[in-house]
Amino acid sequence: MLEETIRALKSELPPDVELVAVSKFHPAEAIGEAYRAGQRLFAESRPQELLQKVQSLSASCPDIRWHFIGHLQTNKLKLVLPHVELVQSVDSLRLLQAIQAWANGHDRKVRVLLELHVAAEETKQGFSAAELFAALEQAVREKAFPAVELCGLMGMATFTEDERVIRRDFSRLQETYREVRARYPELESFKELSIGMSGDYSIALDYGSTMVRIGTKIFGARR
Ligand SMILES: *Cc1c(COP(=O)(O)O)cnc(C)c1O
C-alpha cells in the first residue's frame, strides 16, 4: 500500500519536483518499507528522533538521505548537521550564525533553506519578509555566512480548507522566492522552493514548488 502511494505520488509530480517523505513520529520500520519501495529522501523534525532513525537504518538503507524540517535549537546542531544534506527550517539570524560557526569549525559546507512565515497561524515559525531580506543582506553584502549554502526558501500555507487562502500564501512565497533571485543573482545555489504538504501539494505545484514535503499521505496519521 505504501509502495503504491509512493508510486502514485511520483507519477503525479513533475519530474523536476522532489518528493520528501516526512517520516516524523513514524517508526523506522515504516521508513524501511518506503526505502524498499524506492524512496530515498526522508525528513524529520526532532533531533533525537532523527538520530535514532539514522542509527537504526544506516546499515539496511545505505543510501538513505535526510532533511531536517523542524525548529532547530542552536545547542542541537551537533546532533543534526552531521546527518542531513539540507536543513529546510532555518528561521532566524541567530540560527544562521550558529550554523556558520559549526560549519566553519567542522570544515564543512552546510546547505540550508530559509523558512519564510506567511501563514495566518501565530505558532508557525519562520522569518518575516523584512527579517529574511536583512539576513540576505548580511549573507551577500557582508559575506557573513561563507560556510552556509543558501539553497532556497521553505514555507507553509495556513492550515485551512479555504483554497483562496492557501493560494494567497503560496503566491506570497513564490513572489518572495522570485524577488530574492532577482535581487541577488550572485546566490547561484538559491534554487529550491519547498512548498506543499499532504493536504495542499497539488496547489503548491501551481506556484513553482521544487520540493514537496509529504508525511500523512504516505505514512498515515501521526499519533
Ligand atoms: C509535518 C510536516 C510536514 C508534513 O505534513 P503532512 O501534512 O503530514 O504531509 C511538512 N512540512 C513540515 C515543516 C512539517 O513539520
Side-chain angles (χ1 to χ4, degrees), residues 20-26 43-45 68-71 88-89 115 124-125 154-156 159 194 196-201 212-222:
V20 184
V22 176
S23 49
K24 66 187 187 195
F25 301 95
H26 292 284
E44 289 286 333
S45 61
F68 194 81
I69 58 170
H71 180 64
Q88 294 205 12
S89 44
E115 182 175 356
K124 285 193 176 152
Q125 66 218 29
M154 189 269 263
M156 273 182 264
F159 187 70
S194 174
M197 303 171 35
S198 292
D200 57 20
Y201 70 91
V212 293
R213 312 176 309 272
I214 297 188
T216 309
K217 197 175 162 77
I218 296 174
F219 294 107
R222 291 181 283 275

